[in-house]
Amino acid sequence: MAGYDQPPRRTGIPRDVLKWLQSLDLSFSPKNARRDFCNGYLVAEIFSWYYPGDFPMHSYDNGVSLPTKLGNWSQIERVLSKRDVSLPKELIDGTIHCKPGAAEILIQEMYTLLTNRQIKSVQEEETDFTDRNYQEKLPMVARSTASKAIKNNLRLSEVIAEPNISTNRQKARAIIHMHMQRRQTERVEDPKRFNVKPTLGELAIRVPPRVKQCQDANTEVPRQKSSTDASSGAKSRASAIRSKANVQFKEVAVKQKDRKSLLSMTSSASLI
């Protein structure tokens, strides 16, 4: 891995926030925000400068075990709720489990909350607490597989803190879905590497239609007449002929035979 790009060493914390942290004279200077703020000890110490009576530091333990982290953060949330102050839950969970970018954003939220100053975030993109940005900087041969992506983005501490199988399964499915979307994007960007062959439609030669063919296609095609249309057309023509004034009709006289002669003829035929 010596030839590959390493994760960015920049903490992602603005200079004003770093000066603010140094001015608080903390028990130790934070060098790695993801590691130093995960157990909540420094967070409690920062709040103790503004609320000294609510955050006695002897109640907090500067340990690294998961029960220590959960205990410290539980006390912090309980005290802040009494003062109607709250920190985003997703930031707290991300900081506890050392998710990328969570601790940096949490420190900026605390700075805005305690100093009433607005800062311009140095986060270049929207943070989703995954290693997506780091994976995009690596060459394709060094990027993680689906199983490695689950291992990188689903911490063991998350599974221990939330032992519900359904919840962890949903998290794993979300990570796999994100990984598959990234792989599909890579196939589109570099089809030769993945030996993606063009389809028959892509190989077909696209010839634009001629102008005459386009005009013929735009013209309306005459509709075939049905039997109902034909009969209605014949009746309309006959009525039109009768309505003409110049048509003359000639009466034909027909001579009919007498009824008695017809009866005599039929009786003679029956005798024969």
Side-chain angles (χ1 to χ4, degrees):
M1 297 294 292
Y4 302 143
D5 295 335
Q6 298 297 325
R9 298 183 180 276
R10 184 170 59 112
T11 58
I13 302 176
R15 179 180 292 273
D16 295 338
V17 180
L18 291 175
K19 290 182 179 180
W20 170 68
L21 291 175
Q22 293 174 359
S23 67
L24 296 178
D25 193 17
L26 300 175
S27 57
F28 63 94
S29 178
K31 297 180 180 179
N32 189 326
R34 190 185 307 180
R35 178 194 62 200
D36 296 335
F37 284 87
C38 64
N39 60 359
Y41 184 83
L42 280 181
V43 176
E45 190 174 0
I46 292 172
F47 277 109
S48 67
W49 281 90
Y50 294 87
Y51 309 109
D54 296 336
F55 290 89
M57 293 309 299
H58 61 81
S59 301
Y60 298 91
D61 185 10
N62 191 14
V64 295
S65 64
L66 181 61
T68 300
K69 296 178 182 179
L70 297 177
N72 290 343
W73 279 105
S74 178
Q75 292 186 60
I76 294 172
E77 290 182 285
R78 185 167 57 251
V79 175
L80 291 179
S81 63
K82 293 179 181 179
R83 289 189 166 271
D84 294 332
V85 178
S86 62
L87 294 173
K89 185 64 177 177
E90 60 273 11
L91 291 181
I92 295 176
D93 293 340
T95 304
I96 293 174
H97 305 299
C98 300
K99 292 299 187 69
E104 290 85 347
I105 300 176
L106 179 68
I107 297 170
Q108 297 178 41
E109 290 286 337
M110 293 170 55
Y111 174 81
T112 304
L113 181 65
L114 296 174
T115 62
N116 294 324
R117 299 175 185 175
Q118 298 296 329
I119 58 174
K120 184 178 180 181
S121 178
V122 298
Q123 299 292 334
E124 298 177 355
E125 299 178 357
E126 184 179 356
T127 306
D128 52 5
F129 302 155
T130 62
D131 63 342
R132 174 175 56 86
N133 294 331
Y134 172 59
Q135 292 293 328
E136 291 178 353
K137 296 178 181 179
L138 296 176
M140 289 188 179
V141 295
R143 294 179 183 178
S144 60
T145 59
S147 60
K148 184 65 175 177
I150 296 175
K151 184 178 179 180
N152 292 341
N153 298 305
L154 184 60
R155 306 288 182 177
L156 180 60
S157 58
E158 291 184 77
V159 180
I160 297 175
E162 183 62 43
N164 191 351
I165 298 176
S166 300
T167 304
N168 295 325
R169 187 178 299 169
Q170 291 177 0
K171 293 180 180 179
R173 288 177 178 174
I175 294 171
I176 293 175
H177 179 69
M178 181 184 64
H179 176 76
M180 296 303 296
Q181 285 184 337
R182 184 165 59 240
R183 297 293 287 181
Q184 290 177 0
T185 304
E186 294 173 359
R187 290 173 65 89
V188 173
E189 293 176 354
D190 192 1
K192 293 183 179 180
R193 176 178 178 81
F194 295 93
N195 195 20
V196 178
K197 297 181 180 180
T199 61
L200 183 60
E202 295 174 351
L203 293 174
I205 300 175
R206 306 286 177 164
V207 180
R210 298 179 181 178
V211 179
K212 186 177 180 181
Q213 293 179 354
C214 295
Q215 293 177 355
D216 296 341
N218 294 330
T219 57
E220 185 178 359
V221 180
R223 184 172 57 90
Q224 294 182 357
K225 296 182 179 180
S226 59
S227 58
T228 307
D229 297 340
S231 60
S232 60
K235 290 180 181 179
S236 61
R237 287 195 297 270
S239 61
I241 292 173
R242 294 192 187 97
S243 62
K244 291 182 179 180
N246 57 358
V247 178
Q248 298 180 358
F249 298 93
K250 183 177 180 182
E251 185 177 358
V252 179
V254 179
K255 186 178 180 181
Q256 297 182 356
K257 293 185 177 181
D258 190 8
R259 184 178 180 183
K260 294 182 179 180
S261 61
L262 291 174
L263 294 174
S264 61
M265 290 175 64
T266 54
S267 60
S268 61
S270 62
L271 291 175
I272 297 172

